[in-house]
Amino acid sequence: MTLPDVLNPSPEVVEQLRESFRQKMKNDELKIPPGGFHPHDLNKIFANDVWLTKFLENNDLDMKASLQQVWDTCKWRKTQNINEISEENIRMDYAKEGIMFPRGKDLDGKTLFIYRASLYTRGSKSLDEMKRMFLYWLERIIRESNDDYITIVFELSDAGLSNVDMEYTKYIIGTLKNYYPYSLNYILVFDLPWILNATFQIIKRLLPAKAVDRLKNINGKSIRDYIDEDNMLEAWGGKDDYEFTFVPEVRGTPEPALTNNNSINHNNNSSNINGFKKVHFEKLSPKDSPMNESINSNFENGDGEMLRIIPQNVIAFTKSGTELVGNVEIINIDTKPVTYKIKTTAPDKFRVRPSTGVLAPSASATVNVVLQQGQTINTLSREKFLVMCMGLGKEMSTNSHDVAELWKNTAANSGHIEQHRLKCAIPANLDLDLGFSKGGMPLYGSAGGGPGGDMNITGAGGFGAVGGDKQFQHFQQTIAQLGDANHRLESQLKFQQTLQWITLALFVVLSVAIVYILKAEIKNSVATHY
């Protein structure tokens, strides 16, 4: 069953998925791993909506596919002991090398998960332990960021073919795609060497469209479109002089265990589920959602106590080259600095820059909203934007990291937040020959992504369930072929290097022989002369 094409599932749809999972636990009890699913994972299903919402969004609200992915994820997490991964059972010598670690935030306030490819040489470490270390950091970041999006930065400075482990790369991609839906804000590939460009292009082509939309190849200049200087490492041209040192995780209070792992009595009308109070996260909660029309701090006339919004009610998209673009000017009319943040009902459809920032008194900023290529436009009028703002006191920092933390720790329905809502519109006489879809499919390609693409762009923030088994088998075959090609190229390079050394050695020997013969000839000539 495929549900209506909207980004955020309604509470009723989330509840339907929850009830379907409960029924599946009853019907397929024998298929549950020994000991039952982990209580932590069941808590994420039955005590709040965040996890289930991500699965629904990842599968375009397809209930059957969402249920299967939730079930498979719970089984994988149980059988692989994901919830038990900690500093006590990973290779701490690997962790302390700084191959991967979290540091700083992107412009959207999402945690940066940095992977330094040059520090890992293929075959130099246990692949199983490297996989486990990746899971440790991924789970830790998710816990510390309160299940928010993550931006992965692949730092490829000084990396070569020996630093590319295709099996490890395939594992990372498969893990994110299958078990961590809607978890990624961006995948940033920094300072890609030319020798790895072919590898990058093949991987990019095989990624699901949702991931490709978030995959960015950046350099020292374009990185500023995603990370500000305060959060950029000095090696990237930023101001952060951080040198990696492993800091043990400080775990919060463990969640109480569910009373019955395999039979959960979930009551729709109760605020408690097996002893758990139902929790709504601010960005997904129907009550606290910033897109909830019932919230009082809404200024329909464009002027609030802190911000003036131009236009006041509607973003009109116009043609700019090959793009549909809308602009919003926000002006601080308060006497103190104001921080703003912009959200939308469809983050997969739009590129918004800047999406957050700080305005001094009387200062203004122009926000550029671009409709992503390949997106449908017939439903554009349904989408909405929300401009939120908070005043900053004299003692409050305007540092981007501190501001991101402020937004993270402030509920969307807080009385300190002023909200302005904007709808979307397209002029009736606009020429739409831009590569966008007037109906349900993009104008180019068989089903989506881009020219020649065979994948459907349906969202952003995670890996979509796109293409099925045949596509993944093709992906595996191509990865294997790419690995073989890399091995052959490395062998050829080693052979050429060996040949060069042999040639150099022969040249030296020949040079020495020539010098020796010349000296002997000169000596003989002198002796004959006398």
Side-chain angles (χ1 to χ4, degrees):
M1 174 182 177
T2 301
L3 296 163
D5 183 19
V6 294
L7 178 63
N8 292 321
S10 66
E12 292 76 18
V13 173
V14 176
E15 188 58 44
Q16 182 183 348
L17 178 57
R18 182 180 289 116
E19 176 63 20
S20 297
F21 186 86
R22 187 183 70 82
Q23 290 297 330
K24 188 172 177 64
M25 288 182 68
K26 287 184 176 181
N27 299 335
D28 296 343
E29 184 175 356
L30 296 178
K31 297 181 181 180
I32 297 175
F37 293 131
H38 196 280
H40 172 75
D41 298 333
L42 291 177
N43 181 62
K44 293 172 71 173
I45 292 173
F46 291 98
N48 66 68
D49 294 348
V50 178
W51 214 33
L52 295 184
T53 298
K54 287 187 174 185
F55 283 104
L56 286 163
E57 291 175 337
N58 188 61
N59 292 283
D60 304 325
L61 307 192
D62 186 311
M63 187 62 64
K64 183 178 180 181
S66 300
L67 175 61
Q68 189 61 51
Q69 191 177 20
V70 175
W71 185 267
D72 291 343
T73 298
C74 287
K75 287 182 64 175
W76 174 77
R77 293 180 65 85
K78 175 66 176 182
T79 57
Q80 298 299 313
N81 298 314
I82 301 302
N83 290 290
E84 281 73 38
I85 295 178
S86 67
E87 293 149 23
E88 284 72 35
N89 50 37
I90 64 169
R91 286 284 299 267
M92 286 303 299
D93 53 333
Y94 289 8
K96 292 179 179 179
E97 289 183 24
I99 299 172
M100 59 186 75
F101 56 90
R103 178 65 181 179
K105 306 282 185 179
D106 64 13
L107 289 178
D108 296 322
K110 312 306 179 186
T111 300
L112 300 177
F113 183 14
I114 302 167
Y115 176 85
R116 285 181 157 169
S118 62
L119 298 183
Y120 171 56
T121 301
R122 183 180 61 253
S124 64
K125 290 179 170 59
S126 166
L127 183 58
D128 288 339
E129 291 296 335
M130 285 295 295
K131 293 176 180 178
R132 197 164 180 82
M133 185 172 69
F134 168 73
L135 292 173
Y136 164 78
W137 280 117
L138 186 60
E139 288 286 313
R140 175 173 172 174
I141 294 170
I142 288 173
R143 284 190 294 268
E144 293 177 345
S145 65
N146 206 15
D147 212 15
D148 200 0
Y149 293 142
I150 299 169
T151 288
I152 296 182
V153 182
F154 288 98
E155 181 189 306
L156 298 180
S157 305
D158 302 321
L161 289 172
S162 63
N163 302 116
V164 177
D165 188 333
M166 296 308 300
E167 186 175 352
Y168 191 38
T169 302
K170 184 181 78 171
Y171 174 79
I172 292 174
I173 292 173
T175 300
L176 292 170
K177 171 188 172 184
N178 295 320
Y179 308 120
Y180 293 89
Y182 252 64
S183 296
L184 299 181
N185 194 40
Y186 284 109
I187 309 171
L188 304 180
V189 179
F190 177 73
D191 201 13
L192 177 71
W194 67 268
I195 198 171
L196 299 181
N197 189 60
T199 303
F200 171 80
Q201 293 299 330
I202 291 176
I203 293 176
K204 177 180 178 180
R205 175 176 161 272
L206 293 173
L207 284 172
K210 295 179 182 181
V212 172
D213 185 50
R214 293 294 181 179
L215 180 66
K216 309 295 179 183
N217 184 7
I218 60 175
N219 52 34
K221 182 178 180 180
S222 58
I223 191 174
R224 287 166 172 78
D225 293 336
Y226 305 96
I227 308 172
D228 64 28
E229 289 189 350
D230 291 333
N231 285 277
M232 286 166 50
L233 300 177
E234 284 188 342
W236 305 345
K239 298 179 180 179
D240 188 357
D241 60 355
Y242 174 74
E243 295 292 336
F244 174 78
T245 302
F246 183 85
V247 178
E249 181 182 9
V250 179
R251 292 275 191 120
T253 304
E255 297 165 340
L258 292 173
T259 56
N260 187 339
N261 200 6
N262 293 341
S263 179
I264 295 180
N265 181 19
H266 179 65
N267 188 336
N268 292 349
N269 299 320
S270 174
S271 61
N272 291 278
I273 307 162
N274 287 349
F276 288 100
K277 182 178 180 181
K278 190 169 183 178
V279 178
H280 289 285
F281 282 63
E282 66 175 78
K283 72 174 184 176
L284 294 171
S285 164
K287 176 182 177 182
D288 297 339
S289 171
M291 304 316 293
N292 186 345
E293 299 292 347
S294 64
I295 294 177
N296 294 327
S297 53
N298 180 29
F299 294 88
E300 297 293 348
N301 63 356
D303 285 3
E305 297 177 359
M306 289 181 277
L307 288 187
R308 174 175 298 146
I309 308 296
I310 304 174
Q312 294 181 356
N313 300 308
V314 178
I315 302 176
F317 285 82
T318 58
K319 182 177 178 181
S320 177
T322 59
E323 297 180 322
L324 284 179
V325 181
N327 293 308
V328 178
E329 184 179 7
I330 53 178
I331 305 169
N332 181 2
I333 58 176
D334 204 346
T335 57
K336 60 180 178 293
V338 170
T339 174
Y340 67 89
K341 186 174 185 178
I342 300 174
K343 291 189 176 184
T344 175
T345 53
D348 63 316
K349 287 188 177 182
F350 303 101
R351 183 174 72 249
V352 181
R353 290 291 181 272
S355 61
T356 185
V358 176
L359 293 176
S362 302
S364 64
T366 299
V367 179
N368 186 251
V369 181
V370 180
L371 182 66
Q372 299 277 22
Q373 288 285 344
Q375 297 293 338
T376 59
I377 62 173
N378 62 334
T379 60
L380 188 64
S381 59
R382 303 178 190 172
E383 311 304 348
K384 299 176 183 178
F385 281 82
L386 179 77
V387 182
M388 302 185 295
C389 66
M390 284 189 292
L392 297 176
K394 294 182 179 179
E395 304 300 325
M396 299 179 71
S397 171
T398 58
N399 177 276
S400 59
H401 176 74
D402 295 334
V403 170
E405 286 297 314
L406 176 63
W407 279 111
K408 178 180 174 181
N409 296 321
T410 304
N413 62 342
S414 168
H416 298 291
I417 295 180
E418 179 179 294
Q419 301 183 352
H420 301 256
R421 289 179 178 77
L422 298 169
K423 298 180 180 180
C424 300
I426 297 178
N429 59 350
L430 182 67
D431 178 10
L432 296 178
D433 187 17
L434 297 171
F436 299 98
S437 169
K438 297 180 181 179
M441 298 183 66
L443 296 181
Y444 50 66
S446 59
D454 58 356
M455 293 177 289
N456 207 3
I457 293 181
T458 54
F463 289 85
V466 182
D469 294 337
K470 290 185 178 180
Q471 183 178 349
F472 191 68
Q473 290 173 2
H474 177 63
F475 172 83
Q476 291 178 311
Q477 294 171 358
T478 306
I479 289 295
Q481 293 171 0
L482 180 60
D484 292 340
N486 280 338
H487 289 314
R488 288 197 299 271
L489 182 57
E490 284 186 338
S491 298
Q492 292 174 2
L493 287 173
K494 289 179 180 178
F495 175 77
Q496 293 294 332
Q497 290 175 343
T498 303
L499 187 62
Q500 288 176 354
W501 280 112
I502 294 174
T503 303
L504 181 62
L506 290 174
F507 176 77
V508 171
V509 171
L510 183 61
S511 299
V512 171
I514 292 174
V515 171
Y516 177 79
I517 292 172
L518 287 175
K519 284 186 175 181
E521 288 291 334
I522 293 173
K523 186 176 181 180
N524 291 336
S525 176
V526 172
T528 304
H529 178 73
Y530 287 102

